[in-house]
Amino acid sequence: MVSKMKQIKGGVTAAKGFLAADTAAGIKYKDRKDMAMIYSEVPFYTAGTFTSNIVKAAPVKWDQKIVYDEKMAQAVVINAGIANACTGEEGMRCCELTAEKAGELLSIPKEHVLVASTGVIGMQIPTDRICAGVEAMAPTLSGEIESGHAAACAIMTTDTHEKEVAVEVELGGTTVTIGGMSKGSGMIHPDMCTMLSFVTTDAAISQELLQEALGADVEDTYNMISVDGDTSTNDTCLLLANGMAHNPMIAEKNEDYEAFCKALHFVNETLAKQMAGDGEGATALFEVKIVGAESKEQAKLLSRSVVSSSLVKAMIYGHDANCGRILCAMGYSGAQFDPEQVDLFFESEAGKIQVFCDGVALDYSEEEAAKILSEPAVTAIADLKMGQESATAWGCDLTYDYVKINADYRS
Amino acid sequence: MVSKMKQIKGGVTAAKGFLAADTAAGIKYKDRKDMAMIYSEVPFYTAGTFTSNIVKAAPVKWDQKIVYDEKMAQAVVINAGIANACTGEEGMRCCELTAEKAGELLSIPKEHVLVASTGVIGMQIPTDRICAGVEAMAPTLSGEIESGHAAACAIMTTDTHEKEVAVEVELGGTTVTIGGMSKGSGMIHPDMCTMLSFVTTDAAISQELLQEALGADVEDTYNMISVDGDTSTNDTCLLLANGMAHNPMIAEKNEDYEAFCKALHFVNETLAKQMAGDGEGATALFEVKIVGAESKEQAKLLSRSVVSSSLVKAMIYGHDANCGRILCAMGYSGAQFDPEQVDLFFESEAGKIQVFCDGVALDYSEEEAAKILSEPAVTAIADLKMGQESATAWGCDLTYDYVKINADYRS
């Protein structure tokens, strides 16, 4: 099957029937956009994946109920000031009041309003401000590309740029669109500021397959990025499908489903890599590929361990090929392999160099290695020579600015 | 039983019959002490625990053979320039030549010479220099307190101060001494520069009980510290007992064994805390106590997760009570607990403050919290209110200097 996917401009409003809005509601900071809203002209099926942290923020609990029980909704209200985590009953009540207010203004039941938050943990949200924000946004909802873009900007916290992407794909002769926006970094290892990802599509697809497609793809995309090893209380990824493209309904795992999954993967991977490269304080996107693995699980464990190592990340920042640290991080990953068989390479726009052969350091050129490591995107490739499986993880370097941002995050 | 333990001056030469020496061998750096040696007038029983990393440095493999098979030795040769990890056959040969040289000079079999290394991974050790170092040290071996102190200084890498401690304890009416030195930080999560710990004692104790005492105590001491989440290829902890105190031989778990374990625990915990507080770039020792736990294992998982969180560590550096991050780190630890029951406190020389009650943030004084967090030793206490078990973990804050040290470690 030849895939007819193509990338287009736009994000969360690219798909038919999806509108967005944003506002500066002063939730925690003044004079800064800090709320966004997504609305669909018709109800959409919802699929979602959420933080594995036992400490779940109130909005995560609210959305899980909708995704698991209702399976449908029509709007999402997002705030990027306060996480609404560790806030007890008052936090849950805030979600309910937010949904009620949005429901009232949009004439939909409160059970059809998803909410998402990111920001400081352990602080209550001023409910009056969030309701005022919803009131300000509702009349300005628009399907323009610019509205989606403004929403992607409004959900940023320590992000340095907005993250969005959209694609078109032919499904059964009909053009279907998938677009998304996200903020933060990581699902298994997210940045403090939480990963939030919102992907919308006008595809007609059953809720079961929608959830299955998302659940599977998250494993290879958002779950393969790491900024600092901390898993937020608020991580949320929502995939919303309103069927307005009127493609032949996808109700089984046919060719159309495969094409949909492929396009969804492109959207998720693009957003995930944008988040990894924009990790707090980062100066470089760091990609780790494990090849020649016996199993996918082994390759994932190893690549995630390397991409999460503080020592490896500091080495990338220093453009210093102290590559024993990579073998060291593989060694404590929990995966079994033979260190004395590993070949190791660095690759970037500046070239490719082999630094280890059969687990022993080669006498390579330090200058050439430093040149390769000085690019804004650097890949480390480890070949286990055990089998045919592979996995890729994404992260970033560890810099002074990471410490700076997180030492005084609240001030 | 009233324990008659008392702390005394000294380190690795405090116990009878143990001598030490040090030298500047130019292994990797010029004009810096980088080798040390421990020797006992009579052979000692050896107990040891080693890195769990699959990638094990050559000296770890060499020592494991001695500890597990020979169970006795008489000397230890340490270098703090090059790790001798990822060095293949040549690396193993270097260990053998080092032991041969020391054996020749000290008239003991090479199988009775332990070796330990710390430093850069993936580089071969110049064997001629290490042998010259052994030659320089052998004639200067001395049992003076100063020799032990000089050895503790010589094994430092990025450590900012030497780490040693010694105690005396009465066993069956005889005074027995235990003393030790260490460098680096961490066993489960050590600093790049590896944790090496050498504890000597003149106690008469069977090798089986010696190993059991060390193995059990490591779990509550060295394994409860973390600097950066990376587990080195070289971590080694050796406990050497030469019996020269002539106390009644400890061959069963009697009162003397209990007293010995208690004294050993004091030595190990002191060295472990010294390493945690001297983590690379650290400005504060950070202690995390989990109390009211259902099981020891649960308490350990939780305390280690908090002490290892980059976000929590950056918060300690910033003196900012952004304490939701502590609950967040508990939440992704893998341990089960009810977040809505947790009470959280900060404590230091400046006082104690409660910041969370039943999982919800209290309206505490930010100024008072900042004052408490500004001390050089800070404790976070989380009460799970589930049972009677507890555990303590030690780490340090995350600072600009950590990044600086590790971005250009090799230059």
Side-chain angles (χ1 to χ4, degrees):
Chain A
M1 186 190 69
V2 180
S3 167
K4 288 180 186 158
M5 183 181 81
K6 79 162 191 243
Q7 193 172 346
I8 57 169
K9 277 188 91 166
V12 86
T13 55
K16 272 199 201 81
F18 282 98
L19 318 181
D22 64 283
T23 191
I27 300 299
K28 170 109 177 61
Y29 307 95
K30 298 231 175 292
D31 307 321
R32 185 177 111 178
K33 296 284 180 83
D34 60 358
M35 282 191 74
M37 198 164 162
I38 302 169
Y39 170 73
S40 166
E41 290 168 3
V42 299
F44 46 71
Y45 281 132
T46 61
T49 59
F50 302 94
T51 182
S52 58
N53 199 314
I54 285 189
V55 181
K56 292 186 201 318
V60 168
K61 294 182 197 167
W62 178 267
D63 287 359
Q64 283 184 327
K65 210 158 170 298
I66 295 178
V67 169
Y68 301 153
D69 299 344
E70 302 281 326
K71 299 181 197 290
M72 295 203 81
Q74 200 166 347
V76 190
V77 178
I78 308 147
N79 111 70
I82 296 177
N84 195 4
C86 302
T87 46
E89 306 248 317
E90 196 178 331
M92 285 309 298
R93 181 76 190 130
C94 174
C95 294
E96 195 179 1
L97 289 171
T98 308
E100 252 172 33
K101 171 58 76 176
E104 201 181 294
L105 293 163
L106 302 168
S107 309
I108 57 176
K110 68 180 178 189
E111 292 79 14
H112 280 192
V113 181
L114 295 149
V115 294
S117 295
T118 174
V120 180
I121 301 177
M123 188 181 273
Q124 297 291 349
I125 293 185
T127 309
D128 53 334
R129 285 188 219 163
I130 216 153
C131 288
V134 174
E135 255 176 59
M137 289 190 289
T140 68
L141 282 163
S142 144
E144 299 296 313
I145 282 181
E146 290 70 26
S147 297
H149 183 80
C153 293
I155 62 172
M156 287 164 53
T157 57
T158 52
D159 304 60
T160 64
H161 57 78
E162 72 287 1
K163 295 157 188 79
E164 54 175 354
V165 63
V167 296
E168 274 179 7
V169 59
E170 296 282 313
L171 299 185
T174 311
T175 300
V176 163
T177 302
I178 308 179
M181 67 178 184
S182 62
K183 65 87 45 206
S185 184
M187 189 79 185
I188 283 223
H189 284 164
D191 162 348
M192 165 63 195
C193 304
T194 300
M195 175 193 117
L196 298 180
S197 193
F198 306 95
V199 178
T200 57
T201 179
D202 46 25
I205 178 170
S206 74
Q207 199 275 337
E208 290 69 27
L209 287 181
L210 193 70
Q211 181 67 43
E212 192 174 333
L214 179 66
D217 199 52
V218 158
E219 293 300 319
D220 291 326
T221 55
Y222 304 115
N223 277 359
M224 293 303 284
I225 63 175
S226 174
V227 167
D228 58 11
D230 281 87
T231 303
S232 158
T233 51
N234 289 56
D235 293 336
T236 299
C237 176
L238 295 173
L239 171 59
L240 318 171
N242 69 7
M244 284 181 72
H246 299 296
N247 57 296
M249 180 75 176
I250 305 171
E252 57 181 48
K253 292 185 178 174
N254 53 17
E255 269 198 357
D256 285 355
Y257 179 73
E258 295 305 320
F260 177 80
C261 286
K262 210 167 160 181
L264 177 66
H265 178 70
F266 179 82
V267 167
N268 285 338
E269 185 180 293
T270 304
L271 291 173
K273 285 172 74 169
Q274 285 181 17
M275 284 191 276
D278 194 25
E280 288 174 343
T283 69
L285 172 69
F286 178 43
E287 183 174 75
V288 177
K289 276 190 192 170
I290 302 290
V291 302
E294 262 182 324
S295 71
K296 185 97 181 161
E297 198 41 50
Q298 178 197 35
K300 281 184 163 188
L301 261 176
L302 288 164
S303 56
R304 278 207 296 241
S305 184
V306 175
V307 98
S308 308
S309 157
S310 293
L311 287 168
V312 171
K313 288 150 54 94
M315 164 192 117
I316 298 293
Y317 176 54
H319 307 154
D320 177 20
N322 193 344
C323 32
R325 293 182 182 176
I326 291 186
L327 247 80
C328 178
M330 289 168 66
Y332 63 72
S333 67
Q336 293 300 313
F337 68 102
D338 181 359
E340 294 180 7
Q341 241 183 226
V342 174
D343 289 355
L344 187 64
F345 307 82
F346 285 112
E347 191 174 17
S348 75
E349 290 277 322
K352 185 172 179 176
I353 192 170
Q354 181 168 6
V355 290
F356 268 67
C357 179
D358 291 332
V360 178
L362 295 171
D363 190 20
Y364 55 87
S365 154
E366 291 278 354
E367 273 141 279
E368 197 188 333
K371 212 174 125 215
I372 290 169
L373 291 177
S374 301
E375 292 291 316
V378 173
T379 304
I381 305 159
D383 188 348
L384 308 184
K385 296 186 262 178
M386 295 174 83
Q388 300 301 318
E389 294 295 329
S390 65
T392 305
W394 299 275
C396 59
D397 54 347
L398 174 63
T399 70
Y400 300 150
D401 280 352
Y402 174 82
V403 178
K404 183 155 193 228
I405 290 166
N406 286 298
D408 54 4
Y409 175 72
R410 297 190 310 169
S411 37
Chain B
M1 186 192 67
V2 180
S3 166
K4 289 180 185 159
M5 182 182 82
K6 78 162 190 239
Q7 193 172 346
I8 58 170
K9 276 187 91 165
V12 85
T13 55
K16 272 198 200 81
F18 282 98
L19 318 180
D22 64 282
T23 191
I27 301 298
K28 168 106 176 65
Y29 306 95
K30 298 231 175 292
D31 307 321
R32 185 178 112 178
K33 297 284 182 81
D34 60 357
M35 282 190 77
M37 198 161 161
I38 303 169
Y39 170 74
S40 166
E41 291 167 2
V42 298
F44 46 72
Y45 281 132
T46 60
T49 57
F50 303 93
T51 182
S52 58
N53 199 313
I54 286 189
V55 182
K56 290 186 204 316
V60 168
K61 294 182 197 167
W62 178 266
D63 288 359
Q64 283 183 327
K65 210 159 170 295
I66 295 179
V67 169
Y68 301 154
D69 298 344
E70 302 280 327
K71 298 181 197 292
M72 295 205 78
Q74 201 166 347
V76 191
V77 178
I78 308 146
N79 112 71
I82 295 178
N84 195 4
C86 303
T87 46
E89 305 247 318
E90 196 179 333
M92 285 310 296
R93 181 79 189 127
C94 175
C95 294
E96 195 178 3
L97 288 171
T98 308
E100 251 171 35
K101 171 58 77 178
E104 200 182 294
L105 294 162
L106 302 167
S107 309
I108 57 176
K110 68 178 179 192
E111 292 78 15
H112 281 192
V113 181
L114 296 149
V115 294
S117 297
T118 173
V120 179
I121 302 177
M123 188 180 273
Q124 297 291 349
I125 292 186
T127 308
D128 53 335
R129 285 188 219 164
I130 215 151
C131 288
V134 174
E135 254 176 61
M137 289 189 289
T140 68
L141 281 162
S142 146
E144 298 297 312
I145 282 180
E146 289 70 28
S147 297
H149 184 78
C153 293
I155 62 172
M156 287 164 52
T157 57
T158 51
D159 304 61
T160 64
H161 57 78
E162 71 289 0
K163 294 157 189 81
E164 54 174 355
V165 64
V167 296
E168 274 178 10
V169 60
E170 296 282 312
L171 298 185
T174 312
T175 299
V176 164
T177 303
I178 308 178
M181 66 178 186
S182 62
K183 65 86 46 205
S185 186
M187 190 79 187
I188 283 225
H189 283 165
D191 164 346
M192 165 62 195
C193 303
T194 299
M195 175 192 115
L196 297 180
S197 194
F198 307 96
V199 179
T200 58
T201 178
D202 46 25
I205 179 169
S206 74
Q207 199 273 338
E208 290 68 27
L209 287 181
L210 194 71
Q211 180 67 44
E212 190 172 334
L214 179 66
D217 200 52
V218 157
E219 294 300 320
D220 291 326
T221 54
Y222 304 114
N223 277 359
M224 292 303 282
I225 63 176
S226 173
V227 167
D228 58 11
D230 281 86
T231 302
S232 159
T233 50
N234 289 56
D235 293 336
T236 298
C237 176
L238 296 172
L239 172 59
L240 318 171
N242 69 6
M244 284 180 73
H246 299 297
N247 57 296
M249 179 77 177
I250 305 171
E252 58 180 49
K253 291 186 179 172
N254 54 17
E255 268 198 358
D256 285 356
Y257 178 73
E258 294 305 318
F260 176 80
C261 286
K262 211 168 157 178
L264 177 66
H265 178 70
F266 179 82
V267 168
N268 286 337
E269 184 180 293
T270 304
L271 292 173
K273 283 172 73 168
Q274 284 180 19
M275 283 191 276
D278 194 26
E280 287 174 341
T283 68
L285 172 68
F286 177 43
E287 183 174 75
V288 178
K289 276 191 193 167
I290 302 291
V291 302
E294 262 183 324
S295 71
K296 186 97 180 157
E297 199 39 52
Q298 177 197 36
K300 282 183 162 187
L301 261 176
L302 288 164
S303 56
R304 278 207 297 241
S305 183
V306 175
V307 98
S308 308
S309 156
S310 293
L311 287 167
V312 172
K313 288 149 56 95
M315 164 192 115
I316 297 293
Y317 176 53
H319 308 154
D320 176 20
N322 193 345
C323 31
R325 292 182 182 176
I326 291 186
L327 248 81
C328 178
M330 290 168 65
Y332 63 70
S333 67
Q336 292 299 314
F337 69 101
D338 180 0
E340 294 181 4
Q341 245 185 221
V342 175
D343 289 354
L344 187 64
F345 307 82
F346 285 112
E347 191 173 15
S348 76
E349 290 278 320
K352 186 172 177 175
I353 192 171
Q354 182 168 4
V355 290
F356 267 68
C357 180
D358 293 331
V360 177
L362 295 171
D363 191 21
Y364 55 88
S365 154
E366 293 277 355
E367 273 141 275
E368 200 188 332
K371 212 174 126 215
I372 290 168
L373 291 177
S374 301
E375 292 291 315
V378 173
T379 304
I381 304 158
D383 188 347
L384 308 183
K385 296 186 264 180
M386 294 174 84
Q388 300 300 318
E389 295 294 329
S390 65
T392 304
W394 299 277
C396 59
D397 54 345
L398 174 63
T399 70
Y400 300 150
D401 280 354
Y402 173 83
V403 178
K404 184 160 191 218
I405 291 166
N406 286 298
D408 53 6
Y409 175 73
R410 298 189 309 168
S411 40

